[in-house]
Amino acid sequence: MKNTLFKKKILITAGPTREYIDPVRFISNESTGKMGYAIAEALHQMGADVILVSGPVSINSSFPKNKIIQVISGNDMFTECEKYFKTIDIAIFCAAVADYTPIVTSKIKIKKIENNTSLELQKNRDIAYEFGKIKRNNQIAVGFALETNNIHENAIGKLKKKNFDLIVLNSPNKNEGFGFDTNKITIIDSELSLHSFPLKLKKEIANDIIFYIRNSNKLVTSENKLEQIVV
Ligand code: C5P
């Protein structure tokens, strides 16, 4: 199969974000970044020009350090990604960006009080959604959906709302999703066809996802498409 991704400019987001409440406390999630880094490594090896915008993770990766932009919060991740929106060919939104962030971050450690307390949160901007609004016809966007219920409906809803060309659906079951080396995914394309895969290593899944990107209508003509062999 022709390497349609050679020299393509690809933006990948990976890992969690941290939304600080005070200097030592934050809101985050269990994302380890393994999936995003696995995709970045595979694409880099194929000769793509990859920029990885990564939240705080501890990963031993062969992906070149000078191609990683380290960020902390969802707002930082948005700011860095936005710089690339116009020039990239493909965006892969793997990051588990926190949906909400504290309205105020205290500069000093918040003291315990006698009574209950509450935290006021505001919505983080959605990187994938904002890119989807300005995406050109020749740009490809790939999203992820981690769902626990109405999984297909929710994933399809996100595919449409965020103008993705592909969405990768997974669930937080044992050995799947956050933290594990393995995952079980279904890829849904813009024609709403479902492609389900067995439990595999994230490194192998990266290649399955890349196969669908390479085979996208935007990169190959219908006569050059290859059939995927699911193993
Ligand atoms: O959080 P949600 O399930 O809506 O995430 C779906 C997709 O949107 C994922 O690909 C995620 O990386 C992306 N996203 C984003 N910016 C956000 C929230 C989600 O890019 N603030």
Side-chain angles (χ1 to χ4, degrees):
M1 186 179 180
K2 195 167 161 251
N3 183 359
T4 49
L5 299 177
F6 186 69
K7 294 234 160 107
K8 285 277 185 283
K9 288 189 169 33
I10 305 181
L11 171 71
I12 303 179
T13 67
T17 65
R18 285 183 186 174
E19 312 299 326
Y20 272 88
I21 299 165
D22 71 14
V24 290
R25 303 183 182 105
F26 55 82
I27 300 170
S28 192
N29 56 64
E30 293 192 320
S31 169
T32 56
K34 283 180 185 166
M35 194 67 249
Y37 275 69
I39 297 172
E41 277 175 22
L43 287 170
H44 174 71
Q45 278 164 17
M46 291 169 71
D49 181 4
V50 182
I51 284 289
L52 178 59
V53 179
S54 173
V57 295
S58 40
I59 286 190
N60 252 338
S61 163
S62 66
F63 186 77
K65 300 264 175 302
N66 64 345
K67 295 273 192 172
I68 304 178
I69 301 173
Q70 306 275 4
V71 295
I72 306 285
S73 69
N75 198 32
D76 298 342
M77 189 174 269
F78 190 101
T79 306
E80 291 305 323
C81 288
E82 203 182 17
K83 294 179 186 166
Y84 295 92
F85 278 2
K86 287 205 173 82
T87 53
I88 50 168
D89 301 300
I90 300 166
I92 304 175
F93 297 105
C94 241
V97 185
D99 291 328
Y100 296 94
T101 193
I103 292 181
V104 178
T105 303
S106 171
K107 287 201 170 59
I108 53 168
K109 191 178 168 211
I110 299 169
K111 288 273 173 270
K112 190 157 48 192
I113 54 169
E114 282 308 314
N115 301 320
N116 294 342
T117 185
S118 61
L119 186 62
E120 229 186 320
L121 303 173
Q122 64 190 1
K123 258 186 123 172
N124 258 338
R125 285 177 299 170
D126 191 312
I127 308 164
Y129 176 72
E130 295 302 328
F131 177 70
K133 283 202 288 194
I134 59 159
K135 194 181 80 167
R136 297 187 305 272
N137 281 342
N138 61 350
Q139 289 178 307
I140 295 175
V142 180
F144 278 72
L146 184 80
E147 304 295 336
T148 54
N149 56 302
N150 298 331
I151 58 174
H152 295 116
E153 293 83 342
N154 288 345
I156 289 170
K158 285 176 189 176
L159 176 104
K160 291 181 178 165
K161 182 175 173 209
K162 305 197 189 194
N163 197 11
F164 291 139
D165 297 270
L166 296 172
I167 192 156
V168 181
L169 166 64
N170 57 6
S171 320
N173 300 330
K174 190 173 185 306
N175 297 328
E176 300 171 34
F178 285 159
F180 295 102
D181 287 328
T182 48
N183 202 358
K184 192 163 173 297
I185 62 157
T186 298
I187 296 178
I188 307 175
D189 63 30
S190 53
E191 277 135 32
L192 307 188
S193 302
L194 270 61
H195 312 273
S196 294
F197 296 85
L199 191 74
K200 288 186 183 193
L201 287 172
K202 286 186 174 167
K203 284 184 191 301
E204 294 167 340
I205 286 173
N207 289 321
D208 291 331
I209 296 167
I210 291 168
F211 175 92
Y212 277 91
I213 300 172
R214 286 172 77 180
N215 224 13
S216 137
N217 290 337
K218 292 183 177 173
L219 293 174
V220 286
T221 54
S222 46
E223 53 278 15
N224 284 334
K225 281 192 188 270
L226 275 195
E227 285 299 312
Q228 166 81 318
I229 302 160
V230 177
V231 283

